[in-house]
Amino acid sequence: MQTNWYRFTGMGVQALDVLQRQAAPTEFMDRAIQKVCDLAISRNVRLLVDAEEQAVQPGIEEWTMKYQKYCNSQTPGRAIFYNTYQAYLCSTPTTLAKHLEISRQEGYTLGVKLVRGAYLKTEPRHLIWSTKEETDQCYDGVVEALLTRKYNSMLKSASEKHQTDLPSVNVIIATHNRDSVRKAHALRTEQAMKGENHGVDLSYAQLQGMADEVSCELLQGFQSAEVMKGASMESPNVFKLLTWGSVKECMGFLMRRAIENTEAVGRTKQSQEAMFEELKRRARLAFRRSN
């Protein structure tokens, strides 16, 4: 299923002003967005709205919920329109719980793309978890709740009536963190072994040129005791994000990626080890074919 990322602020200065005021889109903007939505539905293409700075994010969330209802109500059990949730924000579990309850009440599948966050250098510090460990706990706890469709200590229900089970949800785990991907994949493998099907459509996503070893390992299948025993394993949906446009248009995106790369030094050894293992795997495969 084709997946497209886009930003509401890409509509221009007027859209930026409207979002900052947390106002509804203008009639012209609404028609344009609905036209994109209709085309996405007709072509079975997912639309993923990027998260942005907190100056505009509340407005983005209002718009996103509006168009989630418009799109996802037309595709029962499947999300076309997705919102992006940033795990480094302390408010994310509460925000997500509120959106889950809205989707339950309005009768559509919520589309959730979960990231750690890309605005650490510019966001007000008090809005962000104090440590990376807390962000990791938030990310992994939310993923567990979504994949099991059970509220937990991290993601708590916003409804007094529905305290246990989550409503219908589709999930995209968008992270370069190998541990988080491994945990999610292990959980899905365990569910498959038990014959559990919670109806959660799951995809993984990384940026083109970053954490490629994570993407490749997903496609090859993580080697685990369960897999070695012959358990039936889900074939993961893995996407790589490729930005498109002129250098000027993509400069903000490129700058954030440059910052991410400077903070990704800790993954260098993992990447080297993964590339070496991939080289050995290909050599063994070539040797077997030659014989």
Side-chain angles (χ1 to χ4, degrees):
M1 185 177 184
Q2 185 178 342
T3 302
N4 288 342
W5 277 255
Y6 80 102
R7 302 163 70 89
F8 282 137
T9 55
M11 297 178 72
V13 176
Q14 186 179 7
L16 181 62
D17 175 66
V18 173
L19 288 166
Q20 287 176 330
R21 292 188 284 107
Q22 298 182 37
T26 66
E27 184 178 347
F28 175 79
M29 294 175 188
D30 184 53
R31 286 200 306 269
I33 296 171
Q34 286 196 24
K35 186 175 181 179
V36 173
C37 290
D38 291 339
L39 192 60
I41 293 170
S42 68
R43 297 187 178 182
N44 196 30
V45 173
R46 292 187 292 193
L47 300 174
L48 279 56
V49 176
D50 267 347
E52 302 191 42
E53 292 95 340
Q54 288 304 296
V56 293
Q57 187 59 29
I60 289 173
E61 289 172 0
E62 291 292 330
W63 287 23
T64 302
M65 293 304 289
K66 170 184 172 70
Y67 296 110
Q68 283 223 33
K69 181 180 180 181
Y70 178 81
C71 287
N72 300 350
S73 295
Q74 301 182 53
T75 55
R78 182 167 55 87
I80 289 289
F81 211 94
Y82 284 69
N83 189 28
T84 298
Y85 299 87
Q86 302 179 95
Y88 71 177
L89 294 174
C90 303
S91 61
T92 288
T94 301
T95 300
L96 177 54
K98 181 179 70 174
H99 290 176
L100 284 163
E101 187 56 29
I102 291 172
S103 71
R104 186 198 300 272
Q105 293 174 3
E106 297 185 345
Y108 61 85
T109 297
L110 190 72
V112 176
K113 185 185 83 167
L114 187 64
V115 302
R116 274 176 167 74
Y119 302 96
L120 187 62
K121 302 291 187 182
T122 58
E123 296 286 32
R125 190 64 186 86
H126 69 279
L127 299 178
I128 299 170
W129 295 106
S130 299
T131 65
K132 180 182 180 299
E133 288 72 25
E134 288 177 306
T135 296
D136 292 341
Q137 290 169 10
C138 177
Y139 195 98
D140 295 339
V142 167
V143 167
E144 180 183 352
L146 293 173
L147 297 188
T148 59
R149 287 183 65 182
K150 297 288 185 183
Y151 288 109
N152 58 21
S153 59
M154 181 56 68
L155 184 61
K156 300 177 181 179
S157 176
S159 167
E160 294 184 1
K161 184 178 180 181
H162 303 99
Q163 288 289 311
T164 304
D165 297 333
L166 272 68
S168 179
V169 62
N170 287 180
V171 180
I172 295 179
I173 296 176
T175 181
H176 300 144
N177 187 290
R178 194 177 190 179
D179 291 338
S180 290
V181 172
R182 280 184 176 272
K183 289 176 182 177
H185 193 70
L187 178 55
R188 290 288 274 198
T189 301
E190 180 183 354
Q191 290 174 336
M193 289 179 62
K194 294 179 179 179
E196 297 178 358
N197 181 2
H198 297 281
V200 180
D201 183 84
L202 172 64
S203 299
Y204 303 86
Q206 289 88 38
L207 296 170
Q208 180 72 24
M210 293 184 69
D212 289 340
E213 71 280 4
V214 175
S215 310
C216 290
E217 284 186 1
L218 271 170
L219 291 173
Q220 293 165 12
F222 288 119
Q223 295 301 310
S224 64
E226 290 80 9
V227 175
M228 296 303 289
K229 291 176 184 176
S232 176
M233 191 173 177
E234 176 185 58
S235 178
N237 294 317
V238 183
F239 293 88
K240 300 295 283 188
L241 171 60
L242 177 64
T243 187
W244 179 88
S246 67
V247 173
K248 181 179 179 180
E249 291 169 330
C250 299
M251 185 55 69
F253 176 89
L254 294 172
M255 289 296 292
R256 290 194 299 277
R257 300 296 79 80
I259 293 172
E260 282 188 37
N261 275 308
T262 61
E263 296 172 347
V265 176
R267 291 199 301 266
T268 302
K269 185 176 180 181
Q270 284 186 348
S271 298
Q272 290 175 336
E273 292 173 349
M275 286 188 285
F276 183 61
E277 289 300 319
E278 175 63 12
L279 182 61
K280 290 195 295 183
R281 186 189 70 84
R282 295 188 184 192
R284 288 194 297 267
L285 182 61
F287 179 76
R288 286 198 297 268
R289 287 177 175 174
S290 65
N291 292 332

